[in-house]
Amino acid sequence: MILTPRTVKLTTRTGIDIQRVLPHRYIRTIGAWCFVDLFGPTTQEYAMSVAAHPHVGLQTVSWLFEGEVEHRDSLGSVQMIHPGKLNLMTAGNGIAHSELSQSGSGRMHGVQLWTVLPKNVRESAPMFDHYDSLPAFEADQLRCKLLVGSFMGYRSPARIFSEMVGVEIDVTPGGFVTLPLQENFEYGALLVSGDIAINQEELPQSSIYYLTQGHGDATLSSTNGAKILLLGGVPFPETIIMWWNFIGRSHEEIVQMRSDWNNKSERFPAFEDRIHGRIPAPELPNLQLQPRGNISPTIT
């Protein structure tokens, strides 16, 4: 199945267009991966200028192909991220952060990813990790950078809480290769740039090719070369409510998270940054939020 993106605005402050591929109408999660935003490439100054905002119940996985972004958070973390480096923020029971792309750093191009925290760790204290050194390797017309999990005999040091994988893969021009997969994983392959056919099906730009469990491999072919992001994992066993920047299990939990943020609860300590702003949580819809999972389990 091919998951096509929808275009959204990053913020009213910058107006940059984002290609949001996950959550999708039919597929809410791929393993523990629950959110995929692809942004750029763009030369817009301060293309990413996102004021302080909260997260609960998830990890943010920030990955750049081009550019430079400063991360600041309510733990006191100040970290610049560059291409090939990984920022991994575990929100646990509550964290706030801001993101600011750096003027003069050239084009901005990257992805913002979220993973769901399972019930045994979702109420844990927040954490922030930065990884300068990640496995990078070449294999049969492929160049790979491993963000999280294990792939082709390599393992990332990144702290994760579900059985999952995330890897950036460059396919050489004219490449045709069989990619090994874990049969107990479901997968999504995001086309970042170039051209790619997966299992002989052309994948549109900024879309995800989705594979259910049970596939031991997939064929990749490219005429002019391609960059993809392969995300996978054991299907997430819990139904969730994902609303705004929060992931909970009940309507009441989401209401409390929203109230704590908007009322400046100590759950989300204040911090200093160069944006000097704070994004309020929007109004809740006039209905009872219901937990949801993937809604088309018969898709193959």
Side-chain angles (χ1 to χ4, degrees), residues 21-35:
V21 202
L22 205 68
H24 187 268
R25 178 180 177 185
Y26 298 112
I27 304 299
R28 306 289 177 180
T29 56
I30 299 173
W33 300 100
C34 63
F35 184 87

Side-chain angles (χ1 to χ4, degrees), residues 38 46 90 111 116 126 151 182 210 240 261 264 292 294 299:
L38 177 64
Y46 296 118
T90 305
V111 286
V116 190
F151 186 69
Q182 290 186 221
Y210 173 72
I240 62 172
W261 172 249
K264 300 184 179 180
R292 302 178 74 174
N294 290 345
I299 294 171

Side-chain angles (χ1 to χ4, degrees), residues 197-211:
I198 302 179
N199 293 337
Q200 300 183 336
E201 187 171 4
E202 292 289 338
L203 184 61
Q205 180 67 41
S206 307
S207 296
I208 283 178
Y209 185 90
Y210 173 72
L211 277 170

Side-chain angles (χ1 to χ4, degrees), residues 81-250:
I81 181 173
H82 301 92
K85 316 298 181 183
L86 180 67
N87 275 5
L88 185 61
M89 187 179 74
T90 305
N93 61 12
I95 196 169
H97 75 134
S98 65
E99 297 156 295
L100 180 64
S101 55
Q102 302 302 289
S103 177
S105 62
R107 297 203 312 176
M108 277 291 302
H109 193 195
V111 286
Q112 181 63 69
L113 312 166
W114 297 356
T115 69
V116 190
L117 290 176
K119 60 184 178 182
N120 62 318
V121 294
R122 71 187 188 98
E123 294 291 343
S124 63
M127 296 175 282
F128 177 79
D129 297 293
H130 174 79
Y131 299 91
D132 271 326
S133 181
L134 294 166
F137 53 96
E138 296 185 9
D140 191 17
Q141 304 174 82
L142 303 176
R143 294 190 306 275
C144 304
K145 296 176 185 175
L146 184 58
L147 286 66
V148 302
S150 298
F151 186 69
M152 297 181 71
Y154 294 85
R155 183 166 186 83
S156 166
R159 188 201 316 252
I160 54 175
F161 299 94
S162 296
E163 192 176 354
M164 59 190 295
V165 67
V167 56
E168 177 189 318
I169 300 174
D170 287 299
V171 184
T172 60
F176 182 90
V177 64
T178 299
L179 194 69
L181 303 176
Q182 290 186 221
E183 290 193 10
N184 64 326
F185 277 19
E186 58 183 347
Y187 286 93
L190 170 70
L191 178 57
V192 176
S193 60
D195 66 274
I196 196 78
I198 302 179
N199 293 337
Q200 300 183 336
E201 187 171 4
E202 292 289 338
L203 184 61
Q205 180 67 41
S206 307
S207 296
I208 283 178
Y209 185 90
Y210 173 72
L211 277 170
T212 57
Q213 284 180 300
H215 294 83
D217 57 48
T219 61
L220 306 180
S221 59
S222 177
T223 301
N224 300 306
K227 184 186 294 293
I228 66 171
L229 190 66
L230 182 69
L231 307 173
V234 174
F236 195 74
E238 305 170 47
T239 56
I240 62 172
I241 296 176
M242 188 165 72
W243 181 83
W244 196 46
N245 298 319
F246 306 135
I247 296 181
R249 302 301 188 274
S250 70

